[in-house]
Amino acid sequence: LAMAMAALLPTASARRSQDLHCGACRALVDELEWEIAQVDPRKTIQMGSFRINPDGSQSVVEVPYARSEAHLTELLERVCEKMKEYGEKVDPSTHRKSYVRVISHDGTKMDLSGVKIDGDVASSLKFACESIAEEYEDELIEFLSHEADNVKDRLCSKRTDLCDHALHIPHDEL
């Protein structure tokens, strides 16, 4: 029995870690997409070279601020703080963990039945979020700067394999 338990322990631990990293990735993308949506679509930022060309013109273009690299980089530096607004939910049939917002963006009451809210969960999620944001910063900026569809699946499942088990997880909207 001890040998069987010892053999199962690493898989349970690995699954917990995979659930955590998958959940952190999906929450990170949700938060970034929500933050982008809060920016006035008319707000722009000047991009390009500020050098003067030989003809006296400048190669400066205005791009929407919400999806600019400058804005996305700024968001990536602080978005993982939002992980303290998440709790852990365990699927009763598969025992897989997922992470859900426990504080809504707009103040509406949320159904928190079966959600574990605790500081250890929040700090683990924040740490995982920070490591994903750092490791996949270029990919996040690439996907989010171009208004890509299904960024969660494309980044968290296909590009990184953080959620290779999760291609069947239903899309949740914030």
Side-chain angles (χ1 to χ4, degrees):
L1 185 63
M3 294 290 279
M5 289 301 287
L8 287 176
L9 222 49
T11 54
S13 173
R15 189 173 76 199
R16 249 194 321 275
S17 175
Q18 184 184 39
D19 288 352
L20 176 68
H21 284 85
C22 175
C25 184
R26 296 177 72 81
L28 170 63
V29 172
D30 278 342
E31 292 300 326
L32 288 168
E33 288 179 331
W34 189 85
E35 291 282 347
I36 290 166
Q38 301 315 297
V39 176
D40 182 345
R42 296 174 302 222
K43 186 174 181 180
T44 59
I45 186 173
Q46 290 188 336
M47 300 289 291
S49 170
F50 289 94
R51 291 186 305 180
I52 306 291
N53 294 329
D55 65 359
S57 66
Q58 281 184 303
S59 304
V60 176
V61 293
E62 288 203 352
V63 297
Y65 175 72
R67 293 186 181 275
S68 68
E69 187 170 340
H71 183 234
L72 294 173
T73 302
E74 177 190 317
L75 288 178
L76 281 170
E77 289 175 10
R78 61 182 167 83
V79 73
C80 293
E81 291 298 320
K82 302 272 189 193
M83 296 303 120
K84 66 179 176 254
E85 299 172 6
Y86 279 76
E88 182 179 83
K89 194 169 192 160
V90 178
D91 182 303
S93 59
T94 65
H95 303 289
R96 300 297 306 231
K97 293 178 179 174
S98 61
Y99 298 87
V100 295
R101 269 192 149 279
V102 296
I103 302 170
S104 70
H105 286 294
D106 60 6
T108 55
K109 189 153 173 50
M110 301 180 72
D111 175 17
L112 300 178
S113 55
V115 177
K116 176 181 169 187
I117 303 168
D118 118 350
D120 290 343
V121 167
S123 64
S124 296
L125 200 57
K126 181 178 183 269
F127 182 77
C129 175
E130 288 167 344
S131 66
I132 292 165
E134 187 176 324
E135 187 173 347
Y136 297 106
E137 179 177 1
D138 294 341
E139 288 87 344
L140 282 158
I141 290 172
E142 174 192 330
F143 284 137
L144 293 166
S145 64
H146 296 103
E147 259 184 282
D149 291 333
N150 298 329
V151 173
K152 267 194 286 199
D153 286 341
R154 290 176 61 194
L155 179 77
C156 301
S157 297
K158 295 185 176 92
R159 180 70 67 95
T160 65
D161 288 335
L162 291 168
C163 296
D164 58 1
H165 72 284
L167 285 167
H168 64 278
I169 289 178
H171 294 278
D172 50 317
E173 299 301 321
L174 288 177

